[in-house]
Structures are given as structure tokens and as C-alpha cells.
Amino acid sequence: MNNSHPTPPRALHITLARSYMAYFLFSMLGLLADSIVGFSVVIPFGSIIAITCFISGAMLMMWAQKTSNHFRAKTPDAAPRYFHHGPYRYLRNPTHLGMVIMVTGYAAISGSVIFLGVTVLGYIVSNVFFKRYEAIVVEQYGEEYTNYKSDVPKIL
């Protein structure tokens, strides 16, 4: 762990909040564009896909939050251990993926091609903040996070 210039945990939360906010704003922009243009397609089994996405995305987000909160509650030094537990064993940002899955559910039920396209763009933009988040975590946890980052993909 690199303690020479530790970044306050608040910086991590602010960076993640900005990432989620960027994604949310692009999603809202997609809704606005869809209401103006109104280009949509009928997706077979759209409601089943949507319900599946809503439930699985929400469950993934809750699992990720429960895992990280469990380790952070024990002690600040235990925080890096959550890297290898819960959904973090499989991907580095399960909360973000959960959001994307839920928004995909909305796109499936609405059939909005524009909404889906704009939110994909939002996901790409929000990853700029995730790169900053990872730089902060590398600064805080050093080699432990660098090794984790090389072993675990960002997305499945």
C-alpha cells in the first residue's frame, strides 16, 4: 500500500459519483431525444428482457454494495480485501455494470434505438471517470490493486 501521498476516500466517492452522474445525464438526454424523435422498434419479448434486466441489474448492484460495505465496516485496512470477494471476483466495477443492465432493460421495453445509442455513448464518457477512480485506487493500494486489475476484467 502506498501511503506517501494517500488520496482521501472522499475523492474515490466523488469520482464514482461523477461517473454515475455522467451516465445518468446521458440516459436522460437519450429519453429527451427519444421523446422528440420517437424512433423505436418492437423488440420480441421486450417485457421479459426488461424485467430480467431490471432484477439482475439491481441484484448485481446490491451485491456489490453489500460486499464493499461489509469489508469497509470492519476496518479501513480491510477495504482492499473486497477486491477478491463478491462480484468483484469477476469484474472491477459491478455497480456500473448493474446500472448499464438496468438501463438496457428500459431500452428493451421501450424499443428506443436513440435511447440505447445515447446511453452507450454515456457509458463510454462515464468510463473517463472510472479511469480516474482506478488511478486513485492504484495510488492508495499500489501493487495489490495493480495485480487485481491485471487478473480481473473491467467488464465480464
Side-chain angles (χ1 to χ4, degrees), residues 47-110:
S47 58
I48 294 171
I49 294 168
I51 290 169
T52 303
C53 287
F54 294 149
I55 292 171
S56 62
M59 290 179 70
L60 179 59
M61 291 172 69
M62 288 187 298
W63 186 25
Q65 293 306 307
K66 183 177 180 182
T67 300
S68 61
N69 289 339
H70 171 76
F71 283 97
R72 286 187 201 139
K74 288 184 175 184
T75 174
D77 293 337
R81 285 190 273 157
Y82 80 84
F83 297 156
H84 305 286
H85 290 84
Y88 295 95
R89 287 178 290 195
Y90 309 109
L91 64 156
R92 295 194 312 260
N93 197 346
T95 303
H96 204 158
L97 180 60
M99 275 191 337
V100 170
I101 291 170
M102 290 176 69
V103 168
T104 302
Y106 176 78
I109 203 163
S110 70

Side-chain angles (χ1 to χ4, degrees), residues 12 14 17 28 35 52 60 64 69 90 99 115 144:
L12 286 172
I14 290 171
M28 294 300 99
S35 68
T52 303
L60 179 59
N69 289 339
Y90 309 109
M99 275 191 337
F115 175 76
E144 184 172 3

Side-chain angles (χ1 to χ4, degrees), residues 11 30 90 98 119 121 123 128 151:
Y90 309 109
T119 56
L121 181 61
Y123 175 75
V128 171
D151 293 341

Side-chain angles (χ1 to χ4, degrees), residues 19 22-23 26 96 100 116-131 154:
S19 173
Y23 188 69
F26 270 86
H96 204 158
V100 170
L116 184 59
V118 173
T119 56
V120 166
L121 181 61
Y123 175 75
I124 293 166
V125 170
S126 69
N127 275 301
V128 171
F129 295 101
F130 188 67
K131 287 179 183 179
K154 185 170 146 188

